[in-house]
């Protein structure tokens, strides 16, 4: 999805040219306050913002929603841990399927039903492994979302991990 940059909208100033009193700054002209760094690039029009955020929700989910869905007993998706074996063995989301990204081309058709959506995860926000796994699965025709935050935020939320010694919670 490509969105029109707010600066390209009719009547919007060039990026970085907002001045006090212009609608995008939210600062009345009489105050003499320079524009907020946040508003140097003005927000998108509401309809554009709604389309952008709706699109993000079609591609991503979060750990709390995944946890709630798994706890329901009928999540409607398969959760895939795309990390290497060493990460999987350190602890993974209970009920997840281990399918490292490198193995997706050879093993996805054996392990996954194309009619059931897939949610991928990896280490955390600093890792794009879940994105790469989701991309590989989408290229093979699977409906897929990425669990943002990965196992790091799963642990931060206090959700259980499956380890070789059983279930545990980490601080």
């Amino acid at each position: 999805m490509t969105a029109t940059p707010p600066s390209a909208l009719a009547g919007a100033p060039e990026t970085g040219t907002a001045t006090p009193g212009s609608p995008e700054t939210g600062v009345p002209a009489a105050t003499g306050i320079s524009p907020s760094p946040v508003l140097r690039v003005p927000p998108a029009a509401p309809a554009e913002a709604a389309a952008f955020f709706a699109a993000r929700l079609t591609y991503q989910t979060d750990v709390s929603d995944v946890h709630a869905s798994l706890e329901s007993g009928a999540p409607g998706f398969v959760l895939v841990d795309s990390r290497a074996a060493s990460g999987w063995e350190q602890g993974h989301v209970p009920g997840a399927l281990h399918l490292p990204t490198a193995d997706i081309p050879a093993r996805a058709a054996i392990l996954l039903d194309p009619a059931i959506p897939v949610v991928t995860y990896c280490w955390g926000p600093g890792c794009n492994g879940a994105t790469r796994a989701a991309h590989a699965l989408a290229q093979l025709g699977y409906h897929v979302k990425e669990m943002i935050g990965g196992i790091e935020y799963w642990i931060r939320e206090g959700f259980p991990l499956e380890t070789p010694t059983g279930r545990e919670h980490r601080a």
Side-chain angles (χ1 to χ4, degrees), residues 129-149:
T131 304
R132 286 185 281 115
H135 181 245
L137 289 163
Q139 286 183 310
L140 293 174
Y142 292 90
H143 291 88
V144 63
K145 285 188 170 197
E146 176 182 7
M147 182 177 85
I148 58 173

Side-chain angles (χ1 to χ4, degrees), residues 5 22 25 32-34 40 46 69 76-77 79 81 87 92 112 114 118 125 127 135 143 145 148 156 168 170:
S22 61
T25 65
I33 298 173
S34 56
R40 285 187 189 134
S69 296
F77 60 86
L79 183 62
D81 184 322
H92 55 273
L112 300 170
V118 177
C127 171
H135 181 245
H143 291 88
K145 285 188 170 197
I148 58 173
R156 285 179 182 225
E168 66 178 61
R170 295 191 183 151

Side-chain angles (χ1 to χ4, degrees), residues 19-118:
T19 58
S22 61
E24 68 277 358
T25 65
V27 177
T31 66
I33 298 173
S34 56
S36 162
V38 171
L39 299 175
R40 285 187 189 134
V41 175
E48 289 178 8
F52 170 81
F53 293 118
R56 281 188 64 186
L57 292 171
T58 65
Y59 303 114
Q60 299 175 332
T61 187
D62 67 20
V63 297
S64 293
D65 288 344
V66 169
H67 180 261
S69 296
L70 293 173
E71 288 292 305
S72 78
F77 60 86
V78 174
L79 183 62
V80 168
D81 184 322
S82 64
R83 298 175 298 151
S86 59
W88 172 263
E89 290 165 7
Q90 289 176 26
H92 55 273
V93 175
L97 172 70
H98 187 224
L99 182 56
T101 303
D103 296 345
I104 288 173
R107 297 183 59 217
I110 298 165
L111 299 172
L112 300 170
D113 179 344
I116 299 174
V118 177

